Structures are given as structure tokens and as C-alpha cells.
Amino acid sequence: MANRLANSTSPYLLQHRDNPVDWQEWGPDAFAEARRRDVPVLLSVGYAACHWCHVMAHESFEDDGVAQVVNADFVAIKVDREERPDIDAVYMAATTALTGHGGWPMTCFLTPDGDPFFAGTYFPKGQFLQLLSGVTSAWTDQRDRVLESGSHIAETLRGLSAPATGHALAAEVLDAAVDTLRGQFDHGAGGFGGAPKFPPSMVLEFLLRNHARTGSPDALAMAARTCEAMARGGMYDQLGGGFARYSVDARWVVPHFEKMLYDNAQLLRVYTHLFRSTGDALARRVVVETAEFLLRDLRTDEGGFASALDADTDGVEGLTYAWTSAQLVEVLGEEDGARAAALLTVTEAGTFEHGSSTLQLLDDPDDEEWWATARTRLLAARDQRPQPARDDKVVTSWNGLAIAALADAGALLGDASLLEAAERCAEFVVGTHLVDGRLRRASRDGVVGAAAGVADDYGNLAEGLLALHQATGRARWLTVARELLGTATDRFTAEDGGFHDTADDAEALFTRPRSAADNAEPSGQSALAGALLTCSALTGDPAMRERAEAALAASGQLASRDPRFGGWALAVAEADVAGPLQVAVVGSGPKAEALAAVVRRSTSPGLVSIVGEPDAEGIPLLAQRPLVAGGAAAYVCRGFVCDAPVTDVDSLSAALS
């Protein structure tokens, strides 16, 4: 059978459409063929921006000799983990259980019924060929043991999906989590633990919210120090804005160069909230530059945002981004090139590979005007280099994160262009990805794919729409968010009140995936908890709050035991403990805008707000909130029980403090 990936909508699968391996997409036909031929399944899972996925493809999947072995003895299935996170989740659990670690590319061998019996990640060509031979021999000569092993692994992993023991995330638990994080904090370089270091976006959001609720200086210091270190290091793109996926070292010097939408959306929101808390100029600059990166490099023609930029260019990691002193001089001239090299820590020995350096901005330039000109010239020169490929599929969940970040940043900075970008993205995702009341996971070139949305698609998109509703005052976004959350509650709720990752009518895998861990992005469970809590505060629906608290309790044990993997659950719990604090600003004109600005500068974790005319249709917070003496006024409410309206910014500031 020939390779059957040519008609895929996934950029990752399309990268493999010309392989001599007879790849198929995941589906019943592939497993039926494995049963008919009586051979095992080779499952390879990765994503378009993955460096080691590219390496294994070049070494093995593009090799005729390897392909001949695979085609003869296996049915080969290729899966884009970003398009099918449910498949990735269950087989990554198997890989981690079998090997003690995970990663991509993920390489699994399955029975024709889908049970995994061997798993790993990247294999060099020689080792991969040995593995193929060993698996074929085991399948031929020790079939009973192979089937028994697969059945045992599947049954064990099914047991891990048992209902969680509830653990409420009360105030004392949240404060204890800060203490735990303090013990893991890198006081010199920021961040937590050693190399490699990933941006702890959700943990930073939790620390900022904890500081806002308690005044903890340590919580703020850990968040601020980490944000500064990341923004000044090589992991941040000092020329084009935006963050790489992680740093391979502990000091944020050398990044793994892929740039992911989910990282940049979450970090944009974190730096926005840090600027709101502290007024820090560096945080504000990162907000502006990262938003520019999103709009310039990741926005699609339809208004959504692409998933990622590749880690390498023409097979070379860092080719687009690394510099030598000579290259700086070539662009800027002798004097300015040497000055830029000193400012950006570009050394003769190099901080990266082959004498090249990543760009760091460890100190502020002494001449901002000079640096702005030099940065513009360097970016223009870099744009003439070969550029990394873009994974241009639009993922529902990650676009929800982007909508939330752009809405928050646009509202705080008063930047209408960011609000317009958030709204255009929301229009596209809701109009294209919401099909017959159910979300689809992704689209490409404006055409939605067949993969069903998972829990984080519903939670993160609802979160984004609720942020957009508060930033724009448009009732539509609240209405759609409520509908999404209603569907998610009906279809994803687990026995313990938390949430499964997949709907009750989704394709059945060997186990129904479910995770309480917040890793690179919020888990579906904590994403839905956060959106439900916000929606409850905006609408006064107590049932939504109860569902949010049940989901938090289901995540509570993991989040309290290891806060680094429960960042969003902890952040949502801060809002639960502190709120709900509801503020409605009624009226229009300069006075209403001045009152709204005070509200948007508030750091209270449980605060929700809306600005609009009294009794605006579809907005519960504005109901029965009249103007005062014909002018604008602000109503500060707790649980829809309101204080007397205030009409001046000083009184509103006092009420919110």
C-alpha cells in the first residue's frame, strides 16, 4: 500500500507524505489492515515544529531500507499530537510507564486491537532497525507473551483513570504551595529546578495572584525574577519578540528554538499581569513585542493564529536566530556592531554553537533610541535569512489562550489593535470550529478538520471569550462561552466532579484519557474549572461555581503535592478563594472610561468586570444598575450583592483596595 498522508490537513503529516514508509492516518481501516495481515502496528507520534521528529524522519523514515522493513512487517500510523491530543495522551502514558520518561517523536508498537506492548521516543537508525527486527521476532515467536504484555499495560493504565480523591484548594493549601515553590526556586537565575528550563507560565500566574491576595513578597519576587531572567536571556527573541519553547541550560541562555503559540499566549498574559502589578517597564516592553510577534508571524489570513515556528531552519537549529560578532558588524558597521555585540552578549567564542551566540539583553541599553534603530536594522537583516517553517494549523485551545492574552493586554494598555485581533480570532474560531454545537480541534487554510475538540479546547476557548467579553462589553462572547461550558459539563464530567479529556461520545481508545497535570498548557480539567468560575461570577450562576470547585478538588491532590504541575489549578483556586468580586461600570464617555481604567488596574484574583449601558441585553452584571444623576457610575459587588454606587475614581480605588 502507498503512503496515504497526501490528503491530510496536518502540516506534520504532510511533512511525511513523500516518505517511502507506507504511512496511514489513525483510523479503523489501519487497524483492520493490521488484523488482516496479522502484523503489529508501528505508531509514530510527533508534531511539525519538533526537532528530533525531523531528525528521525531524515535518518529512518526517508530511508528506503528502513521503509522496506516497516512496510513488510508492520502497519505504520503517523499521528500529529497537536491534532489528536487524546491519542498522544494515552500512548504517552504507556511510554512513560514503560520507560520512565516521554518525549517526541514517540514510537510505540501496538497489537491490532490498539494495546501498546513496547514504547520509546527517538531511536537512531541502527538502533531502530534492531528494534524493528526484535519486535517482529517477538510477534512471530512469542505472540502470547506480547499479547499478554499489551493487555496488562492497557489494564494498568485504565486503572489510573479511576476517580480522584477530592482535596480542596483552600487558602492555607495555596500558601503552602508558595512555600513549596520557594524551596524549588533558583534564586540566581529564576525559574524552578535545573536544566532544561521551561517557562513556568501558569505557576507565575498563580504567584502573581497569591501576591495580590496575601501581599506575599516572596510570591511576587519569584514571579518577577523569573520573568526578568527569561526576558533578558536567549530564550526571548530580542529582535522579533516572543519566546522559544524552553532553555536547554539553567540560565536561559540557549533556547530550543521552536516558538509555540501556547507558550507565547500564556506568557503574554503573564507579563501583562506583571506589568499591572508592578508597572515594570521591561514587562510592558515584553507585552508589546510579544503581541507584535503573534500578529506579525503567527496570524493567519483568516484571523486565527498558527501553532508554531519550527525549531530548525533547513535542518540546522538556530540558523535563523544566532549571530557572530562579524555578522553584527556586517549589518551595523564596525562601531555600532561592536557596541551591539557587547550589549547582546555576542562573544568571539560564542554562547551557542560553531562560534555563534544567542542574543541576550542582560542590561538595558544606555541609549534607547540607538538600540531601537539597531534592533530594527538587525531584524530586517535577519528577515533576509532562511526562515523556519510555520505549522499553520489553527488549534482551538491555543487560540483561546491567545484571545484571552490579547484581550487582557489590549484592555490594560488601551490598544484597540490588540482587541480587534482578539475579536477577529474569536469570530473565526467560533464561526469555523464550532460545528453543530460541538467544537473541532483544528483547522487549516480556513477548513476545519474532523478531529473532535477535547476538554482544554472547550475550557481555554471559553476562558478567552470571557476575557474578550469583559474587554469589549459584547454580550455575544458571554453567550457562546456559556453554551460551550454547558456542552462540556454534559459531555466531559467525570464521576468525581472533575473532567475527562475526551467527550462521552468520542472515539474509544484503550483507556479514556484524563489528566489533572498542568504541563505546557492548562489541563482540560483546570481550564474548564477556570472558565466555569469566571462565568459563574459574570452570570451569578451558583451551579457553575460548584462545578468549578469540584473540578479544583479533583486536581487538588496533585496541585498541592507538586505545585509546578498544578499551576493553573492553583491560579484558579486563588480566584475562588478571593472572589467573586464583580464590578459593573455603567455609562459611556470619559468618566466611564476613567472608572473602567481603575478597574482594569486592579489585581484582585477574583475580580470580573464589565462596562456598558444599564440593562444591556444579555449582560447580567449590568441588569438593574442605573446611571447616577444621569452620569457614569461603578457598582462593586460581591456575589451580586452590591455596595452603593461610586462615581469618582478615588472612591472606586478605595472600594477595590
Side-chain angles (χ1 to χ4, degrees), residues 265-283:
Q266 291 178 94
L267 288 167
L268 173 57
R269 204 177 191 195
V270 165
Y271 280 88
T272 296
H273 295 166
L274 177 62
F275 171 64
R276 183 179 64 187
S277 296
T278 65
D280 180 64
L282 175 61

Side-chain angles (χ1 to χ4, degrees), residues 43 45 79-82 84-97 104 106 108 157 160-161 454 456 501-502 509-515 519:
L43 173 66
V45 182
V79 167
D80 183 341
R81 68 171 293 261
E82 298 172 347
R84 290 300 302 268
D86 51 339
I87 296 171
D88 178 66
V90 297
Y91 289 104
M92 184 58 73
T95 301
T96 304
W104 299 277
M106 176 166 56
C108 296
L157 293 173
L160 298 179
S161 297
V454 294
D456 62 274
D501 291 343
T502 54
L509 304 173
F510 72 82
T511 185
R512 190 177 180 187
R514 182 183 181 190
S515 175
N519 289 306

Side-chain angles (χ1 to χ4, degrees), residues 165-170 173 552-558 560-561:
T165 301
H167 187 84
L169 290 174
V173 177
L552 289 175
S555 296
Q557 199 168 63
L558 171 62
S560 58
R561 183 178 68 245

Side-chain angles (χ1 to χ4, degrees), residues 411-427:
L412 184 66
L413 301 182
D415 188 333
S417 68
L418 301 187
L419 294 178
E420 290 167 5
E423 197 143 35
R424 185 179 173 212
C425 180
E427 293 281 4

Side-chain angles (χ1 to χ4, degrees), residues 225-238 243 251-253 271 280-283 285-286 343-345 358-365 368:
R225 173 61 188 136
T226 301
C227 284
E228 180 181 11
M230 290 192 301
R232 292 195 180 280
M235 201 182 79
Y236 182 69
D237 186 344
Q238 305 296 344
F243 291 85
R251 302 193 65 82
W252 313 105
V253 177
Y271 280 88
D280 180 64
L282 175 61
R285 176 170 66 80
V286 170
L343 177 67
L344 296 168
T345 324
T358 62
L359 301 187
Q360 303 174 72
L361 196 63
L362 302 181
D363 297 301
D364 290 328
E368 291 287 352

Side-chain angles (χ1 to χ4, degrees), residues 123-435:
F123 293 99
K125 175 183 172 181
Q127 189 177 349
F128 186 53
L129 281 168
Q130 291 176 349
L131 176 60
L132 293 173
S133 177
V135 169
T136 299
S137 295
W139 183 257
T140 303
D141 301 329
Q142 304 175 55
R143 178 75 59 89
D144 290 345
R145 290 183 60 185
V146 169
L147 294 175
E148 182 182 354
S149 174
S151 177
H152 174 72
I153 293 167
E155 190 60 37
T156 300
L157 293 173
R158 278 192 283 270
L160 298 179
S161 297
T165 301
H167 187 84
L169 290 174
E172 58 271 17
V173 177
L174 301 176
D175 296 341
V178 174
D179 292 337
T180 300
L181 290 167
R182 187 186 299 112
Q184 300 169 339
F185 183 62
D186 183 338
H187 292 272
F192 302 90
K197 268 187 179 169
F198 289 80
S201 309
M202 292 161 284
V203 170
L204 298 175
E205 184 69 36
F206 160 60
L207 291 171
L208 290 174
R209 292 186 182 191
N210 180 269
H211 168 71
R213 179 177 63 84
T214 68
S216 165
D218 284 353
L220 179 60
M222 286 188 282
R225 173 61 188 136
T226 301
C227 284
E228 180 181 11
M230 290 192 301
R232 292 195 180 280
M235 201 182 79
Y236 182 69
D237 186 344
Q238 305 296 344
L239 300 183
F243 291 85
R245 182 166 171 251
Y246 65 87
S247 173
V248 301
D249 63 283
R251 302 193 65 82
W252 313 105
V253 177
V254 178
H256 187 53
F257 287 92
E258 60 192 325
K259 295 169 85 170
M260 313 300 294
L261 173 60
Y262 56 74
D263 284 324
N264 283 283
Q266 291 178 94
L267 288 167
L268 173 57
R269 204 177 191 195
V270 165
Y271 280 88
T272 296
H273 295 166
L274 177 62
F275 171 64
R276 183 179 64 187
S277 296
T278 65
D280 180 64
L282 175 61
R284 189 186 192 283
R285 176 170 66 80
V286 170
V287 170
V288 171
E289 292 174 359
T290 302
E292 289 174 347
F293 160 69
L294 288 180
L295 271 58
R296 181 188 66 240
D297 293 345
L298 292 186
R299 186 157 54 171
T300 68
D301 291 341
E302 297 78 24
F305 290 92
S307 296
L309 299 181
D310 261 14
D312 49 49
T313 304
D314 295 342
V316 179
E317 192 167 12
L319 178 66
T320 302
Y321 301 104
W323 292 78
T324 64
S325 299
Q327 289 170 331
L328 294 176
V329 168
E330 183 180 351
V331 175
L332 299 176
E334 194 73 37
E335 181 178 346
D336 285 344
R339 185 178 180 183
L343 177 67
L344 296 168
T345 324
V346 176
T347 66
E348 291 305 315
T351 59
F352 178 47
E353 295 177 348
H354 312 299
S356 65
S357 296
T358 62
L359 301 187
Q360 303 174 72
L361 196 63
L362 302 181
D363 297 301
D364 290 328
D366 52 18
D367 185 338
E368 291 287 352
E369 185 175 347
W370 170 84
W371 167 237
T373 301
R375 177 175 177 260
T376 299
R377 292 172 65 189
L378 290 172
L379 181 59
R382 194 182 79 180
D383 287 343
Q384 300 307 307
R385 296 177 174 181
Q387 298 297 305
R390 186 172 84 160
D391 179 344
D392 56 0
K393 70 177 178 296
V394 174
V395 174
T396 302
S397 175
W398 307 346
N399 276 259
L401 296 172
I403 292 166
L406 291 168
D408 281 7
L412 184 66
L413 301 182
D415 188 333
S417 68
L418 301 187
L419 294 178
E420 290 167 5
E423 197 143 35
R424 185 179 173 212
C425 180
E427 293 281 4
F428 170 71
V429 174
V430 171
T432 304
H433 291 212
L434 189 58
V435 180

